[in-house]
Amino acid sequence: MSSPQLYWVLSGKDFTLDINNPKQPKIICMGNNPEKQQIYGAVLSLYISRLVRIVNKKGQLPCSLIFDEFPTIFFNHMDSLIATARSNRVATTLAMQDFSQLKKDYGKEQADVIVNITGNIISGQVMGETAKQLSERFGKLMQDRESLSINRTDISINRSAQLDAVIPPSKIASLSSGEFVGMVADDPDEKIRLKMFHCAIQNDAEKLNEELKRFKPIPKISNVTNQQIMDNYFQVKLDIQNLIEQEAYRLKVENEEIDEV
C-alpha cells in the first residue's frame, strides 16, 4: 500500500464525502485497479464505510450509491445499509456478474441476506444456480394450457390451468445481449401491474446524440505533476517518522518519571 499515488489520494483535503449535502451536493467516482485489486479494495472499503455514515442521515438530499463489480470490494453490513438507507432517501445499487461471485467473496449466509433484502432485481443472461434462484424469486403464475388430439373419428381439445414459472430458468439462461428480466417493488397505493418483466434495450442513436449535445465537457480543475506526488509521498513518510520519535521520547520520559517515584 506504500505507493506515492495512494499517499496523494489519502492525504488530500480538496473535497468531503457528504455527497448529499443540500448546500454542496457532489458526485464522487472511485475505481479499482484489477492489477492491485486486494490493495485498492481495502482503500475503497475505507472510503465507502466513511461515506455511508455521512450520507445515511435525515434531512439530506436524495442520492444514489452505485457499486459496480461489487464483489471486488468488501463492505461489511451492506444489508444494514440497504435496509436503513431507504428511509433516508438513499438508493443502493449492487452490480455483479453472477450471484456465485458474491457467495465466494462474502460467504453464503451474508450473500443470501444481501440478495433477499433487495426490492428490485434486474438480470441479464445467467445460468445454473443463479438462473434457478431468480426464477424461483419471480414466482409462479396460473397459466392456461391447451392440447389438441386428433383421431379417425373426431378431434378433441383439452384445456387446463397449471402453475408455471413466470420466467423459467431456461428463459433466463438463453437471453440475448440487451435483453433483461427483472422484478420491481411497488407501493400499496401505486401498485405496478407488471411486477415481473422481460424486456430489451431499444437503442436510439439519434436521440442519444441529441442528449449528449446538451452536456458541456467538464474543464480540468488542476494538473498534478509527478513532482508534487513524490514530494507529498516523502513528506508523509517524514511526518510519520517524526510522530514515532515524539511518541517514543514521550514514553521514555514517562517511564523515567515512574522509576523516580
Side-chain angles (χ1 to χ4, degrees), residues 18-21 25-26 51 54-57 60-66 85 88-93:
D18 52 344
I19 59 175
N20 56 349
N21 186 340
K26 57 183 73 72
L51 185 145
I54 294 175
V55 303
N56 194 14
K57 297 178 180 178
Q60 302 292 81
L61 292 176
C63 69
S64 177
L65 303 177
I66 302 175
N88 294 328
R89 303 186 296 175
V90 178
T92 308
T93 303

Side-chain angles (χ1 to χ4, degrees), residues 182-212:
M183 181 177 182
V184 294
D186 57 5
D187 187 275
D189 299 327
E190 299 178 1
K191 290 189 176 181
I192 298 174
R193 182 180 60 84
L194 196 63
K195 287 179 66 68
M196 282 71 67
F197 62 85
H198 174 203
C199 64
I201 294 177
Q202 299 293 328
N203 291 321
D204 191 338
E206 294 183 0
K207 185 176 180 180
L208 179 60
N209 290 331
E210 290 295 327
E211 291 292 329
L212 291 175

Side-chain angles (χ1 to χ4, degrees), residues 7 24 38 45 92 105 111 125 153 157-158 177 184 188 192 218:
Y7 276 41
Q24 193 178 16
Q38 298 299 325
S45 298
T92 308
D105 295 312
Q125 181 193 28
T153 58
I157 299 175
N158 296 322
S177 178
V184 294
I192 298 174
I218 300 175

Side-chain angles (χ1 to χ4, degrees), residues 128-179:
E129 189 67 24
T130 301
K132 183 179 178 182
Q133 289 182 353
L134 286 174
S135 179
E136 292 175 351
R137 178 156 184 164
F138 296 149
K140 296 184 177 181
L141 186 67
M142 190 68 72
Q143 300 186 26
D144 295 329
R145 289 180 173 270
E146 184 178 288
S147 62
L148 179 66
S149 177
I150 304 175
N151 55 38
R152 292 181 179 180
T153 58
D154 61 358
I155 298 175
S156 61
I157 299 175
N158 296 322
R159 293 187 176 89
S160 61
Q162 184 176 344
L163 273 175
D164 283 332
V166 176
I167 307 175
S170 58
K171 185 75 172 179
I172 300 173
S174 61
L175 292 174
S176 301
S177 178
E179 282 189 292

Side-chain angles (χ1 to χ4, degrees), residues 74-90:
F74 185 82
F75 175 65
N76 203 10
H77 305 303
M78 174 55 74
D79 52 331
S80 299
L81 169 65
I82 298 173
T84 60
R86 293 170 182 164
S87 59
N88 294 328
R89 303 186 296 175
V90 178

